[in-house]
Amino acid sequence: MIKLLQSLLLVMLTSIVFQANAATEDKPFAEHKVVLQISDSDPTKQTLVLNVANNLMKAYGGPDKVEVEIVAFGPGLRLMFDDNGNKGRISGLTDNGVRFAACGNTMKKMTSQLGHQPKLNSQASVVPAGVVRIIELVDQGYTLIKP
Amino acid sequence: MIKLLQSLLLVMLTSIVFQANAATEDKPFAEHKVVLQISDSDPTKQTLVLNVANNLMKAYGGPDKVEVEIVAFGPGLRLMFDDNGNKGRISGLTDNGVRFAACGNTMKKMTSQLGHQPKLNSQASVVPAGVVRIIELVDQGYTLIKP
Amino acid sequence: MIKLLQSLLLVMLTSIVFQANAATEDKPFAEHKVVLQISDSDPTKQTLVLNVANNLMKAYGGPDKVEVEIVAFGPGLRLMFDDNGNKGRISGLTDNGVRFAACGNTMKKMTSQLGHQPKLNSQASVVPAGVVRIIELVDQGYTLIKP
C-alpha cells in the first residue's frame, strides 16, 4: 500500500510539472498577441509596420481575435510624431484596436537634440522605455515581430 | 479503496502520456527549428540571410538536425524573385531542406505597383501572409531570427 | 485511509507551492535576461544597441537584476572592432556586466575579404557562430531584441 502511494505521489508530481508548463500559455482576451517593433530611421519601414498591423487584423479576423501593439524607439519614434505623414493610417488602426507606444527614453534624447520636445500623435502613449515595454509584452505571451 | 486509487492512477498515467506526447512532438524531426525573416530592401541582407541559413546547417550538422524556413515579405520578397542573383544559392539550400516562403499580401501589392505579377523562384511557396506564417512557426517552437 | 489521503493531498499542495517558486527562480541571478543582436552595417545601429543596453540597466536596476549579452554578426561585427569609436562605451557597459559576443563565422569571412584578421576589442569573446549563440541564449530564457 505504502509503495503504491509512493508511486502515486511520484506520478502526480510529474504531472504537476507538466501542467505548470501548460498554464503559462494562457491568452485570455485574444487568440493572438503581436508586438510590432519600429526602431529604424528608414521611412519605408513606417509604411511596412503599418501594413503588417493591417494584414494581421485582416488575417485573424479583426480586433477581437488579435491584440496588436506597435512600440517605437530610437529613430523609429518618428512614426509617432504628430506631423508624420501616416497620421491617417494610425488613426484608422487605432479605431481597430491597435495600440501605439512611444519610448520615453528616446523622447528625452530627441528633446535635448532638437532643443524642444517633439509633438507626438495623440494616439500614442508614452512608456518609460520602449525596449522594456516590448519585454513586458513578450512576457505576457506576445510574439515580437520587427518588420 | 484500492480500486479507487487504481483508477485514479490510471487516469493520471493517461494524462501524463497525453502531455508527454504533446511535449515531444513539438519537434518531431529536428533538434532545432529556426525561421529566418527577410523584409529589408538592402540587397546585402539577402546575402546575410542565406549565409545564416548555411551556418545553421553547418553548426547543427545538416538537414536532419535543424529545420530552417526563410520567410520573405515587404521589400524582402525580392530575394525570391526568379531573376534574383542568389538563385543558385537558394537552389543549393533547398537541396539541404531549407524552405522558402513568399508573402502573398506583398505579391498582391507588388503586382498592382508593377502592373504585372512578379515571377517568383520556383523553389518559393506562396503563403497568404508572411507575418502570419512567421507567427505560426513561432507557435510551433521555431526561433525567429531576422539577420 | 481517509486521513492518509488527506496528508497525501497536503503533501501535494505543498509541493505545488514549491514548484511554483521553482518556476520563478528559473533565472537564479537576474530577473531579466536579454540578448541584443547587431547585424546591420548602419553605424547608427551601433549607438542604438548600446543605448538599449544602457536603458535596460537603468530600467531594471543594474547588473544584479538583468543579464545582457550583445551578439554581433555580419556587418554588425564592426561594433566589436578594436578601432570602433564606441570602445569607451563598450568598456563602461562591460564594467556593468554586459557581455559582448563576436561571430566566428563572420570573423573568418572578413579575414578572407580583408586579407588579414580584424583586430577585435579585448572585451569581446569570439563564439563559433553568432546565430547559434543567440538560439542558445533564447533556449536559456533570454528575450531576443534587435534594436
Side-chain angles (χ1 to χ4, degrees):
Chain A
M1 192 65 222
I2 299 292
K3 278 227 158 157
L4 200 146
L5 277 175
Q6 280 176 337
S7 358
L8 191 60
L9 192 63
L10 193 73
V11 161
M12 280 177 344
L13 283 176
T14 317
S15 113
I16 287 162
V17 173
F18 267 115
Q19 311 227 358
N21 281 344
T24 56
E25 282 191 317
D26 227 300
K27 290 187 180 182
F29 302 108
E31 290 163 23
H32 300 275
K33 296 175 174 185
V34 186
V35 49
L36 301 177
Q37 171 189 329
I38 179 154
S39 55
D40 294 304
S41 54
D42 180 358
T44 66
K45 288 290 181 188
Q46 300 178 1
T47 316
L48 189 58
V49 81
L50 299 175
N51 288 351
V52 167
N54 204 52
N55 287 340
L56 284 169
M57 283 292 153
K58 280 196 297 181
Y60 290 130
D64 294 342
K65 302 294 178 61
V66 58
E67 286 192 52
V68 177
E69 180 164 325
I70 300 178
V71 179
F73 65 89
L77 191 70
R78 291 178 185 282
L79 170 65
M80 299 188 190
F81 278 13
D82 194 50
D83 59 0
N84 184 284
N86 294 294
K87 207 175 166 180
R89 291 192 72 192
I90 289 174
S91 176
L93 285 167
T94 306
D95 293 345
N96 275 301
V98 175
R99 303 186 307 265
F100 292 82
C103 176
N105 280 329
T106 306
M107 282 289 281
K108 275 184 225 157
K109 220 157 219 143
M110 284 188 170
T111 300
S112 83
Q113 282 164 353
L114 296 170
H116 65 272
Q117 189 168 321
K119 194 170 186 302
L120 284 192
N121 190 316
S122 60
Q123 313 284 10
S125 307
V126 178
V127 293
V131 70
V132 171
R133 177 63 183 160
I134 287 173
I135 292 168
E136 202 174 282
L137 292 172
V138 168
D139 286 348
Q140 288 171 27
Y142 280 69
T143 304
L144 168 60
I145 309 269
K146 179 180 186 291
Chain B
M1 194 64 224
I2 300 290
K3 278 227 156 158
L4 200 146
L5 277 175
Q6 279 177 335
S7 355
L8 192 59
L9 192 64
L10 194 73
V11 162
M12 278 174 348
L13 281 174
T14 317
S15 115
I16 286 162
V17 172
F18 257 121
Q19 312 226 358
N21 276 346
T24 55
E25 276 190 331
D26 213 306
K27 295 181 175 185
F29 304 107
E31 291 162 23
H32 300 276
K33 296 177 174 185
V34 186
V35 48
L36 301 176
Q37 172 189 328
I38 179 155
S39 56
D40 294 305
S41 54
D42 180 0
T44 66
K45 287 290 181 188
Q46 299 178 2
T47 317
L48 189 59
V49 80
L50 299 175
N51 288 352
V52 167
N54 204 52
N55 287 340
L56 285 169
M57 283 292 154
K58 280 196 298 179
Y60 290 130
D64 293 341
K65 302 295 178 60
V66 57
E67 286 192 51
V68 177
E69 180 164 325
I70 300 179
V71 179
F73 66 89
L77 191 69
R78 291 179 185 282
L79 171 64
M80 300 189 190
F81 278 14
D82 195 49
D83 59 1
N84 185 284
N86 294 294
K87 207 176 166 179
R89 292 192 71 194
I90 290 175
S91 176
L93 285 166
T94 306
D95 292 345
N96 274 302
V98 175
R99 305 186 306 266
F100 291 82
C103 176
N105 281 329
T106 306
M107 281 288 282
K108 277 183 222 156
K109 218 154 222 148
M110 285 187 170
T111 301
S112 84
Q113 282 164 355
L114 297 171
H116 65 273
Q117 188 168 321
K119 194 168 186 305
L120 284 192
N121 189 318
S122 60
Q123 313 284 12
S125 307
V126 178
V127 294
V131 70
V132 170
R133 177 62 182 161
I134 287 173
I135 292 168
E136 201 173 283
L137 292 172
V138 168
D139 287 348
Q140 288 172 27
Y142 280 70
T143 303
L144 168 60
I145 309 269
K146 178 179 187 289
Chain C
M1 193 66 224
I2 299 291
K3 278 228 155 157
L4 203 147
L5 276 176
Q6 279 176 336
S7 358
L8 191 60
L9 194 64
L10 194 72
V11 162
M12 282 177 344
L13 283 174
T14 316
S15 110
I16 288 165
V17 174
F18 255 120
Q19 311 233 353
N21 279 345
T24 56
E25 277 188 328
D26 213 306
K27 298 178 176 182
F29 303 108
E31 291 162 22
H32 300 275
K33 296 177 175 185
V34 186
V35 49
L36 301 176
Q37 172 189 328
I38 178 153
S39 56
D40 294 304
S41 54
D42 179 0
T44 67
K45 288 289 182 189
Q46 299 177 3
T47 317
L48 190 58
V49 80
L50 299 175
N51 288 351
V52 167
N54 204 52
N55 288 340
L56 285 169
M57 283 292 154
K58 281 196 297 180
Y60 290 130
D64 293 342
K65 302 294 178 62
V66 58
E67 286 192 53
V68 177
E69 180 164 325
I70 300 180
V71 180
F73 66 89
L77 190 70
R78 291 179 185 283
L79 170 65
M80 299 189 191
F81 278 14
D82 195 49
D83 59 0
N84 186 283
N86 294 294
K87 208 176 166 180
R89 293 193 69 192
I90 289 174
S91 176
L93 285 166
T94 306
D95 292 345
N96 275 301
V98 175
R99 304 186 307 265
F100 292 81
C103 176
N105 280 329
T106 306
M107 282 289 281
K108 275 184 224 155
K109 220 156 220 149
M110 284 187 170
T111 300
S112 84
Q113 282 164 355
L114 297 170
H116 66 273
Q117 189 168 320
K119 193 169 186 304
L120 285 191
N121 190 317
S122 61
Q123 313 284 11
S125 307
V126 178
V127 294
V131 70
V132 170
R133 177 63 183 159
I134 287 174
I135 292 168
E136 202 174 281
L137 292 171
V138 168
D139 286 348
Q140 287 171 28
Y142 279 70
T143 303
L144 167 61
I145 309 269
K146 179 181 186 289

